[in-house]
């Protein structure tokens, strides 16, 4: 611990600054906090208004999630296809679990099994929608998302869903989001 010495005769209101150095590591661990406290080693009683201060440490190691292919085309009623979602850690290690979620894009013409669409007929289903990477997951871990185009017996032409990924675990305000992954559903009718 750093020591601050206040000499006899120091005027009231005198301020002292303590420098705090944050060390860089290669761990993806989210936001951390540390608390520094003031204690007295003298026999003179001290009465401080605020005797502790909390420091927030933002992680500079940011995970990146990306799709392994640029797009997917599937025909209604065809066997399901996989979409790979890859975790890129760079040279870092994952020390906390990460949770991501697939979300629909703006102006999609195809309706998927997302919670916001529960009252609508679905053109396709994704499984899973929630993606989880456990602490210790190696770099380039890929989660396979299964997409199934449902044959709805409607003549409606080809439809598109633009999938993207959003982070749902806390601690990564600077998370880098991947590009949109278009899924084209070819009408079978």
């Amino acid at each position: 611990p750093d020591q601050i010495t206040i000499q006899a005769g120091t005027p009231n209101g005198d301020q002292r600054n303590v420098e705090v150095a944050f060390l860089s590591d290669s761990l993806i661990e989210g936001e951390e906090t540390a608390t520094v406290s003031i204690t007295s080693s003298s026999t003179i009683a001290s009465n401080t208004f605020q005797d502790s201060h909390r420091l927030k440490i933002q992680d500079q190691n940011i995970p990146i999630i990306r799709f392994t292919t640029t797009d997917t085309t599937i025909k209604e009623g065809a066997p399901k296809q996989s979409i790979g979602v890859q975790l890129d850690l760079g040279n870092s290690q994952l020390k906390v679990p990460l949770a991501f979620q697939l979300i629909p894009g703006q102006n999609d013409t195809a309706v998927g099994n997302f919670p916001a669409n529960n009252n609508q007929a679905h053109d396709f289903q994704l499984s899973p929608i929630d993606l989880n990477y456990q602490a210790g997951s190696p770099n380039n871990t890929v989660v396979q998302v299964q997409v199934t185009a449902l044959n709805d017996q409607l003549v409606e032409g080809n439809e598109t869903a633009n999938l993207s990924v959003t982070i749902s675990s806390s601690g990564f305000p600077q998370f880098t989001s991947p590009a949109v992954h278009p899924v084209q559903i070819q009408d079978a009718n």
Side-chain angles (χ1 to χ4, degrees):
D2 282 346
Q3 181 173 328
I4 299 173
T5 302
I6 300 175
Q7 301 294 333
T10 300
N12 186 27
D14 185 55
Q15 293 185 9
R16 305 294 168 99
N17 293 320
V18 176
E19 289 189 24
V20 178
F22 296 101
L23 304 176
S24 180
D25 60 25
S26 62
L27 304 176
I28 296 173
E29 54 205 342
E31 186 175 278
E32 298 174 289
T33 59
T35 302
V36 293
S37 300
I38 300 172
T39 60
S40 175
S41 60
S42 79
T43 56
I44 301 172
S46 65
N47 184 10
T48 58
F49 179 74
Q50 181 175 339
D51 61 358
S52 67
H53 183 79
R54 191 176 83 177
L55 305 169
K56 282 186 181 180
I57 306 166
Q58 290 184 338
D59 199 346
Q60 69 179 8
N61 303 299
I62 307 298
I64 297 172
I65 294 293
R66 63 175 49 101
F67 292 103
T68 57
T69 57
T70 57
D71 60 17
T72 299
T73 300
I74 186 169
K75 189 169 185 164
E76 284 183 348
K80 60 186 169 189
Q81 289 188 23
S82 292
I83 301 171
V85 182
Q86 182 178 16
L87 173 65
D88 182 352
L89 301 174
N91 294 322
S92 300
Q93 293 178 315
L94 187 60
K95 286 298 189 185
V96 294
L98 297 178
F100 300 89
Q101 189 173 60
L102 289 172
I103 58 173
Q106 299 283 334
N107 303 317
D108 285 356
T109 56
V111 177
N113 61 322
F114 299 103
N117 298 336
N118 282 342
N119 60 347
Q120 300 177 39
H122 296 151
D123 296 302
F124 67 96
Q125 291 183 332
L126 296 174
S127 179
I129 290 177
D130 297 311
L131 311 175
N132 296 291
Y133 296 91
Q134 299 305 315
S137 292
N139 191 29
N140 297 321
T141 297
V142 176
V143 171
Q144 296 295 330
V145 177
Q146 304 299 316
V147 60
T148 304
L150 304 175
N151 192 349
D152 54 16
Q153 305 298 319
L154 300 174
V155 178
E156 55 195 347
N158 295 341
E159 298 174 292
T160 302
N162 296 297
L163 304 180
S164 62
V165 178
T166 185
I167 189 163
S168 52
S169 57
S170 62
F172 294 96
Q174 301 169 355
F175 173 73
T176 303
S177 186
V180 170
H181 183 88
V183 176
Q184 185 180 60
I185 301 171
Q186 295 177 334
D187 195 358
N189 302 300

